[in-house]
Amino acid sequence: MLKESIKEQILIKVKGEAFKKHPFFYLYDLSNITSKLELLNTYAADNISLYYAMKANSNFEILELIKKHPNVKGVEIASSGELDIALSHFKPLQVIYTGPGKRPYELELSLNNKIRFLSAESLTEVYRISELIEIHNLGKADILIRINPNYDIKNSLKKMGGISSKMGIDEDRIIDVLEEVLKFKNINVAGVHVFAASGIIEHKDLLEYVEYIFRLVSKIESICNREFKIIDFGGGFGIDYSCANKKFNVEAFFNHLKMLVDNFQYNNKELVLELGRFITAEAGYYISQIIDIKESKGKKHIIIGGGINHIRLIRKHPINIIPMGNRLIYDKQPAVKDEFVEIEGPLCFGEDKIDEDIFIKEANIGDLVVISHVGAYGYNVASLEFLCHPKPNEYVCCNA
Amino acid sequence: MLKESIKEQILIKVKGEAFKKHPFFYLYDLSNITSKLELLNTYAADNISLYYAMKANSNFEILELIKKHPNVKGVEIASSGELDIALSHFKPLQVIYTGPGKRPYELELSLNNKIRFLSAESLTEVYRISELIEIHNLGKADILIRINPNYDIKNSLKKMGGISSKMGIDEDRIIDVLEEVLKFKNINVAGVHVFAASGIIEHKDLLEYVEYIFRLVSKIESICNREFKIIDFGGGFGIDYSCANKKFNVEAFFNHLKMLVDNFQYNNKELVLELGRFITAEAGYYISQIIDIKESKGKKHIIIGGGINHIRLIRKHPINIIPMGNRLIYDKQPAVKDEFVEIEGPLCFGEDKIDEDIFIKEANIGDLVVISHVGAYGYNVASLEFLCHPKPNEYVCCNA
C-alpha cells in the first residue's frame, strides 16, 4: 500500500501545469533516503566508511542530501561524467573511482583532480596510472586492486564474482599481479577491492562472503609481507522488491561484522562500503496517468505514458493505482475491475511492458499508475531518447 | 568484411580531437541509405507511398537526406517529440502519426498542426480526436483505423499481430467499432492500418500477410458498404543481421504485390509503406577503441568504451577489428589471437555485453571494434544516461 504522505505529494505534482501535457514523473522521497542513512549510521562501526554509489541515481538533489549526511564519507563513481558531477558536490578526497575499462582520459582526469583513489581492475590500468603520474608530475597516488574472488555468493540478485569476468583480477593470479604492482615507485596499493554480487537479502550470505574476503586478504598480506589499510568489499545490501516483508538485517550484519573484524584483528583497517540501491531504491516512485485501456483477445491492456523510454524494469515492482474520478470519455469506455492485466508503455513494440499478468482491483482511463522501488537504476537506465518522447520530470519531496 | 571506403572514413574520424578523450562514435553511410531508397523507387508501383519510420533513427542529417529523396512521401512518427522533429524537416501533410497510447496533448498537437492523418488505435482515441476537432474548430480530420489482424505472420523478428496486443483493434471487433466510428461527422476514415510484424526476410511471408489484409479490407468494405482509399500495411522488410547473404527480395515483393493489387482491383488505392529498419540499419556503424583486454578463468574479455549506454544489441551483429598498431603499454600485455572471446562495455554490470563467444582472429588494446548494421534502433534505444558516460558522437559520411 502506498503511504498517505506519498499519495498527497503525488496529487500535488499532478495538479501542476507540466502534468497536463506530459502526465508522468519520478518522485523521490528524501525522508526515506535519510532514514536509510540513519539506519546505517546507527549500526556501522567506526572503521566502516560509507560511500554512495552514484550509478544508482545521480539526481542532484539526492546527491546534495547524501553529501550533507555526516555518516557519508563520499561518493563512488564509474565514469568521467560521474566524476564531473561528483566534483560539483563533493571534495576530491571524497571520491573513489571503480569500474572496468576506464579510458586513459578518465584515469588522467581522476589523477589530475587528486581524487581519493582509483580501484585498478587490471595490470593495464596500473601501468597507465603510473605513466600518467609521471607525465603530470603527480608524485605518488593511492590505488586499490580489484580482485575477482573464487567465491560464488549465495542468493544474490547479480553475480559479479566467481565467474569469468571483465571485473577485477582473478584470485588465482592476484599474488603474481600484486608482486608486480608493488614494485611501482609512484603507486601505493592502499588496499583491495572486491564486489562480488548485489541485491543480497540474507545478511548471513553476505557475511560468509566477507569472511571469505578477510581470509583471502590475510593470506595475501602474509604472502606479500605487507599490510593493506583498506578493504573495499563493495555493496550488496538488497532490497525486497516483492514487498514480502523480507529485509536486509542491517543491525545483525554490522554486529556480526564487528565480531569478524575482532576475530581477524582488523580494527585498524578501514572497511569501505559502496551502497547505491540500498540507499535510494525504496525512495523512488514512477507515476503516470493511464492513457488508454484496451481489451484484446480476452485480456485487458493498461497503457501508460512511459515505457522503456522512462523505466526499464527487470523484475516485478509494487504497483498501485490512484483513482482520479475522471469523467467518462464515452459510454462503453473499457475499465479494469478485479482482473489480471498487462501494464504497458506507449511505444509500438511488444517488449515495451511494465508488468504482465498483474492483478488490478480497479483502474480507469485517467487514473494514476504508481510504481514503487524505482529510486535506483530507474531514470538513469531508461532508454530516454527512444522515440523522442519527453523525459519524465524528477521531483523530490519529504525533506525533513 | 568492412568496405574499404568505410574503413577510410572511420580512420579519418579517429584522427579527430574528440576521439582522444572519448574514443567511440556512430558513423552513418548516407550512400547506403540512398541506395536503399533507389532500390525501393525502382520497383515500387505508383500507388505505393513510402514513409520513413523515424523511430529507427532520428538523426537530423539522415532525415534531411531522406526528405530530399523524390520517392519518399513523408515520415511516420509516434510521439510529440518526433512530431516536433518531423515538422522542422517535413511539411505537415507529409507526416503520419501511429502508435498506441497517444496522449491527449499529442493528439491535440497533431490536429492543430494539420498533419496528414493520425492512425487511431482505439475507440478512446477516436472520441478524443472528435472532441479536440470540435474544441479547436478544425472542421474534419482524416484518420486511419488500426486493426490487430488474426494472422500470425511467419518468420518475423517481432510479432505485432495475431496475439493479445496493446496495438490496434482486434479483427473480431473491427466491424462493430468501425460502424461506430463511421457515425462521427467530423472524422473521415480514410483507410485502415495494419502492422503485424517486423524484420521479415522472406518476401513471400510478407506477401501472404498482405493478401490476408487485402481480403480483410474487401470484407470490411463490403460489410460497411464503404470504400477505403488507403491501406497502410506497415513495414516489415527485414535485414540480414547474420550476413548470411539472405536479402529481402524487393523486386520480387513489389512484382507480386502488383499482381495482388491487380487481382483485388486495388489500383486506385494508396498503399502506405512505413519503413525504418530497412532504410537505415545497414548504413550504421558503432566504433570504439579497445580500452582493455583481460583474461579471466580461461576466457578473454575485450572491453570497449561503450556498452548498453551506447548500444543495446538484441542479436549478433557483424563485428570487425581494425588494427591500429599501438605501442605496447607493457611487455606481457594481453592480446587476442584466434580465439573465442567476450566483447563487453565498460559498465560494472555483467549484463553490459556486446557479444558472447565471438571468434576474433586478432585484437590488441587500442585497436578499433566496428559493429555493423546498427543504423536502426542503435543510438536511440541506448541507455544514454546510464553511468553518465559521454554520449557517442554521430557522424555521417559518403553523401554523393
Side-chain angles (χ1 to χ4, degrees):
Chain A
M1 278 300 296
L2 209 55
K3 279 199 299 181
E4 270 309 310
S5 59
I6 293 301
K7 198 175 145 183
E8 270 170 36
Q9 288 295 325
I10 289 171
L11 292 174
I12 290 170
K13 304 300 176 234
V14 164
K15 286 195 189 112
E17 200 57 33
F19 193 80
K20 288 183 191 152
K21 290 184 180 172
H22 307 314
F24 34 66
F25 56 91
Y26 275 88
L27 179 69
Y28 304 123
D29 170 5
L30 296 183
S31 72
N32 188 285
I33 295 175
T34 301
S35 69
K36 287 292 174 71
L37 296 174
E38 289 300 325
L39 179 68
L40 295 164
N41 195 28
T42 305
Y43 298 109
D46 290 343
N47 64 332
I48 304 283
S49 293
L50 176 63
Y51 283 78
Y52 173 60
M54 194 201 284
K55 62 179 77 60
N57 191 323
S58 55
N59 176 278
F60 84 96
E61 294 188 89
I62 288 178
L63 290 177
E64 275 301 299
L65 179 84
I66 289 174
K67 177 182 91 173
K68 285 178 191 148
H69 200 274
N71 184 37
V72 175
K73 186 133 185 194
V75 69
E76 180 264 330
I77 61 161
S79 78
S80 57
E82 287 192 348
L83 177 62
D84 197 27
I85 298 170
L87 291 177
S88 65
H89 294 273
F90 294 84
K91 299 192 185 81
L93 273 177
Q94 292 184 291
V95 178
I96 63 180
Y97 195 142
T98 75
K102 300 175 202 80
R103 288 170 277 131
Y105 171 68
E106 296 182 304
L107 297 173
E108 191 174 4
L109 262 188
S110 308
L111 291 165
N112 278 331
N113 278 290
K114 297 187 185 300
I115 66 166
R116 185 167 181 217
F117 54 72
L118 285 153
S119 167
E121 306 227 1
S122 72
L123 254 183
T124 310
E125 283 196 348
V126 174
Y127 274 91
R128 279 184 173 141
I129 289 168
S130 174
E131 194 174 309
L132 286 163
I133 292 172
E134 214 173 290
I135 290 170
H136 294 286
N137 256 317
L138 296 171
K140 196 166 182 171
D142 283 348
I143 65 165
L144 303 189
I145 289 286
R146 179 162 178 178
I147 307 171
N148 173 27
N150 287 335
Y151 187 87
D152 187 6
I153 204 159
K154 286 177 199 153
N155 306 313
S156 63
L157 199 61
K158 293 180 183 186
K159 283 189 205 317
M160 294 190 264
I163 50 172
S164 176
S165 168
K166 64 177 168 180
M167 288 171 277
I169 294 154
D170 282 359
E171 181 182 327
D172 297 338
R173 293 180 51 238
I174 193 66
I175 298 292
D176 291 347
V177 171
L178 259 176
E179 282 180 348
E180 189 162 349
V181 176
L182 291 171
K183 288 181 197 150
F184 283 84
K185 295 232 163 58
N186 57 3
I187 284 179
N188 174 44
V189 181
V192 297
H193 177 209
V194 279
F195 198 146
S198 84
I200 300 149
I201 294 286
E202 283 298 332
H203 69 279
K204 283 178 188 161
D205 294 335
L206 191 57
L207 281 163
E208 276 180 33
Y209 151 76
V210 172
E211 188 173 352
Y212 181 88
I213 297 307
F214 281 9
R215 268 207 208 96
L216 177 60
V217 170
S218 290
K219 190 178 110 189
I220 295 170
E221 286 186 328
S222 114
I223 294 173
C224 295
N225 190 27
R226 167 132 193 162
E227 199 189 321
F228 297 112
K229 295 219 177 75
I230 303 170
I231 302 174
D232 178 344
F233 60 90
F237 293 21
I239 286 295
D240 176 20
Y241 286 94
S242 72
C243 285
N245 251 333
K246 291 181 287 181
K247 267 194 162 63
F248 183 86
N249 191 330
V250 173
E251 180 179 1
F253 175 78
F254 281 120
N255 286 344
H256 283 83
L257 181 62
K258 182 82 185 70
M259 279 153 48
L260 271 183
V261 165
D262 290 340
N263 288 347
F264 278 84
Q265 300 183 305
Y266 274 5
N267 285 291
N268 61 337
K269 284 196 201 302
E270 177 183 350
L271 301 180
V272 170
L273 189 56
E274 311 162 14
L275 292 180
R277 186 190 306 276
F278 185 76
I279 294 173
T280 60
E282 290 178 335
Y285 301 86
Y286 173 78
I287 297 98
S288 173
Q289 208 171 38
I290 296 176
I291 307 298
D292 207 346
I293 295 177
K294 290 187 187 186
E295 184 161 352
S296 169
K297 297 186 186 291
K299 184 131 209 178
K300 296 243 177 82
H301 298 253
I302 291 179
I303 304 176
I304 66 173
I308 57 171
N309 58 325
H310 287 175
I311 189 160
R312 278 188 169 270
L313 301 178
I314 54 171
R315 63 183 76 78
K316 280 190 176 278
H317 282 242
I319 291 184
N320 287 281
I321 307 287
I322 300 181
M324 295 298 286
N326 283 284
R327 67 172 174 92
L328 285 183
I329 300 161
Y330 61 109
D331 280 350
K332 294 161 292 173
Q333 176 180 315
V336 169
K337 188 136 185 105
D338 293 323
E339 54 198 308
F340 288 88
V341 303
E342 312 285 289
I343 302 184
E344 293 170 275
L347 312 188
C348 23
F349 298 90
E351 305 88 327
D352 184 47
K353 276 191 197 300
I354 299 290
D355 204 338
E356 294 183 287
D357 254 323
I358 175 175
F359 182 79
I360 297 288
K361 223 177 143 38
E362 191 172 350
N364 290 285
I365 295 174
D367 287 350
L368 304 179
V369 167
V370 182
I371 311 173
S372 299
H373 296 5
V374 296
Y377 307 107
Y379 183 91
N380 293 60
V381 183
S383 294
L384 289 162
E385 301 202 11
F386 195 25
L387 263 82
C388 307
H389 276 279
K391 294 178 188 175
N393 284 326
E394 294 178 282
Y395 298 110
V396 297
C397 71
C398 315
N399 197 2
Chain B
M1 279 299 297
L2 209 55
K3 280 198 299 182
E4 270 309 309
S5 59
I6 294 300
K7 198 176 146 183
E8 270 170 35
Q9 288 296 324
I10 289 172
L11 292 175
I12 290 170
K13 304 300 177 235
V14 164
K15 286 194 189 112
E17 201 57 34
F19 193 80
K20 288 182 191 153
K21 290 184 180 172
H22 306 314
F24 34 67
F25 56 91
Y26 275 89
L27 179 69
Y28 304 123
D29 171 5
L30 296 183
S31 72
N32 188 285
I33 294 174
T34 301
S35 69
K36 287 292 174 72
L37 296 174
E38 289 299 325
L39 179 68
L40 295 164
N41 195 28
T42 305
Y43 298 109
D46 290 344
N47 65 331
I48 305 283
S49 293
L50 176 62
Y51 283 79
Y52 173 59
M54 194 200 283
K55 63 180 77 61
N57 191 323
S58 55
N59 176 278
F60 84 96
E61 294 188 89
I62 289 178
L63 290 176
E64 275 302 299
L65 180 84
I66 289 174
K67 177 182 90 173
K68 284 178 191 148
H69 201 274
N71 184 38
V72 175
K73 186 133 186 195
V75 69
E76 179 264 330
I77 61 161
S79 78
S80 57
E82 287 192 348
L83 176 62
D84 197 28
I85 298 170
L87 291 177
S88 64
H89 294 273
F90 294 84
K91 298 193 186 82
L93 273 177
Q94 292 184 291
V95 178
I96 63 181
Y97 195 142
T98 74
K102 300 175 201 80
R103 288 170 276 130
Y105 171 69
E106 296 182 303
L107 297 173
E108 191 174 4
L109 262 188
S110 308
L111 291 165
N112 277 331
N113 278 290
K114 297 187 185 298
I115 66 166
R116 186 167 180 216
F117 53 73
L118 286 153
S119 167
E121 306 226 0
S122 72
L123 254 184
T124 311
E125 283 195 349
V126 175
Y127 274 90
R128 279 183 173 141
I129 290 168
S130 174
E131 194 175 310
L132 286 163
I133 292 172
E134 214 173 290
I135 290 170
H136 294 286
N137 255 318
L138 296 170
K140 195 166 182 170
D142 283 348
I143 65 165
L144 303 189
I145 289 286
R146 179 163 179 178
I147 307 171
N148 173 27
N150 287 335
Y151 187 87
D152 186 5
I153 205 159
K154 286 176 199 155
N155 306 313
S156 63
L157 199 61
K158 293 180 184 186
K159 283 190 205 317
M160 294 190 265
I163 50 172
S164 176
S165 168
K166 64 177 168 179
M167 288 170 278
I169 294 154
D170 282 359
E171 181 182 326
D172 297 338
R173 293 180 51 237
I174 193 67
I175 298 291
D176 291 347
V177 170
L178 258 176
E179 283 180 349
E180 189 162 350
V181 176
L182 291 171
K183 288 181 197 150
F184 283 85
K185 295 232 164 58
N186 57 3
I187 284 179
N188 173 44
V189 181
V192 297
H193 177 209
V194 279
F195 197 145
S198 84
I200 299 149
I201 294 286
E202 283 298 333
H203 69 279
K204 284 178 187 160
D205 294 335
L206 191 57
L207 281 164
E208 276 180 33
Y209 152 76
V210 172
E211 189 173 351
Y212 181 88
I213 297 307
F214 282 9
R215 266 207 210 96
L216 177 60
V217 170
S218 290
K219 190 178 110 190
I220 295 170
E221 286 185 328
S222 114
I223 294 174
C224 295
N225 190 27
R226 167 133 193 162
E227 199 189 321
F228 297 112
K229 295 219 176 75
I230 303 170
I231 301 174
D232 178 344
F233 60 90
F237 293 22
I239 286 295
D240 176 20
Y241 286 94
S242 72
C243 285
N245 251 333
K246 291 181 287 181
K247 267 196 162 62
F248 183 86
N249 191 330
V250 173
E251 180 179 0
F253 174 78
F254 281 119
N255 286 344
H256 283 84
L257 181 62
K258 182 83 185 70
M259 279 154 48
L260 272 183
V261 165
D262 290 341
N263 288 347
F264 278 83
Q265 300 183 305
Y266 275 5
N267 284 290
N268 62 337
K269 283 195 201 303
E270 177 183 351
L271 301 180
V272 170
L273 189 56
E274 310 162 13
L275 292 180
R277 186 191 305 276
F278 185 75
I279 294 173
T280 61
E282 290 178 335
Y285 301 85
Y286 173 78
I287 297 98
S288 173
Q289 208 171 39
I290 296 176
I291 307 298
D292 207 347
I293 295 177
K294 290 188 186 186
E295 184 161 353
S296 169
K297 297 187 186 289
K299 184 131 209 178
K300 297 243 177 82
H301 298 253
I302 291 178
I303 304 176
I304 66 174
I308 57 171
N309 58 325
H310 287 176
I311 189 160
R312 278 188 170 270
L313 301 177
I314 54 171
R315 64 183 75 77
K316 280 190 176 277
H317 282 242
I319 292 184
N320 287 281
I321 307 288
I322 300 181
M324 295 298 286
N326 284 284
R327 67 171 174 91
L328 285 184
I329 301 162
Y330 61 109
D331 280 350
K332 294 161 293 173
Q333 176 180 315
V336 169
K337 189 138 184 103
D338 293 323
E339 54 198 308
F340 289 88
V341 303
E342 312 285 290
I343 302 183
E344 293 170 275
L347 312 188
C348 23
F349 297 91
E351 305 88 328
D352 184 47
K353 276 191 198 301
I354 299 290
D355 204 338
E356 294 183 286
D357 254 323
I358 175 175
F359 182 80
I360 297 289
K361 222 177 145 36
E362 192 172 349
N364 290 286
I365 295 174
D367 287 350
L368 305 180
V369 167
V370 182
I371 311 173
S372 299
H373 297 5
V374 296
Y377 307 107
Y379 183 91
N380 293 60
V381 183
S383 294
L384 289 161
E385 301 202 11
F386 194 26
L387 263 82
C388 307
H389 276 279
K391 294 178 188 175
N393 283 326
E394 294 178 283
Y395 298 110
V396 297
C397 71
C398 315
N399 197 3

